[in-house]
Amino acid sequence: MNEVIGIIIAAILCWLNFVIVDTYFGLPEQPGVKGARIIGESVEKRGGDIAGGFFQGNILCSPDASAGTLMASIGYLLLGIPGGIIAAFLVFIGNRLCADPGYAGTVGSLTATVIIFVCSFLGFTPEMFIVGMVIAILTVQGLDHKRASVL
């Protein structure tokens, strides 16, 4: 398969995976991360600007489906299916450390592992999904936080 076409298709699949999973778990409306609020209040108490809002702490604090999808892609590259499952386990632990009651990151890792496995029969490589996930994250979280999440 042509690498450029593979990366474009992988980016679309990754984008759909993490947007659907995060939306299902309600992250765009209200993050379930207690650590994000604690970080935001700490920044505000010290006179810092929380212009990005408390949800900005969710990206900092707890792995969501976008991080889970990226970690699963890397885990799958390194170890195959067991690597994707290990990535899901590490995301699960990260969520618990951040007092995140949700499972978006863990589910995102597991669904990404399945997607990469199925697509491997069609000529896709894990590398395509790693690059595709980075592109997908940039389309939503952006390089410029003022204009992030326009999609």
Side-chain angles (χ1 to χ4, degrees), residues 13-151:
L13 291 173
C14 289
W15 191 89
L16 288 171
N17 181 52
F18 92 81
V19 168
I20 290 169
V21 171
D22 277 352
T23 303
Y24 176 78
F25 282 96
L27 291 182
E29 291 99 29
Q30 78 183 118
V33 182
K34 295 175 188 170
R37 181 158 305 280
I38 292 168
I39 289 171
E41 289 171 354
S42 174
V43 168
E44 189 176 41
K45 190 184 300 181
R46 294 178 184 169
D49 183 16
I50 58 166
F54 289 111
F55 188 65
Q56 210 53 31
N58 186 27
I59 297 165
L60 166 79
C61 182
S62 179
D64 59 1
S66 60
T69 303
L70 181 59
M71 288 182 64
S73 301
I74 295 167
Y76 195 96
L77 171 70
L78 296 174
L79 300 171
I81 292 175
I85 294 170
I86 291 169
F89 177 69
L90 292 173
V91 169
F92 176 81
I93 289 175
N95 290 144
R96 301 296 77 78
L97 290 173
C98 294
D100 183 351
Y103 296 95
T106 306
V107 171
S109 289
L110 294 173
T111 55
T113 301
V114 170
I115 291 168
I116 296 167
F117 172 73
V118 170
C119 289
S120 68
F121 294 108
L122 302 173
F124 288 86
T125 63
E127 293 92 337
M128 291 176 185
F129 283 93
I130 293 170
V131 174
M133 192 58 229
V134 170
I135 292 169
I137 289 171
L138 288 175
T139 64
V140 174
Q141 295 175 356
L143 294 172
D144 177 16
H145 290 294
K146 286 185 178 181
R147 290 182 277 282
S149 297
V150 173
L151 293 176

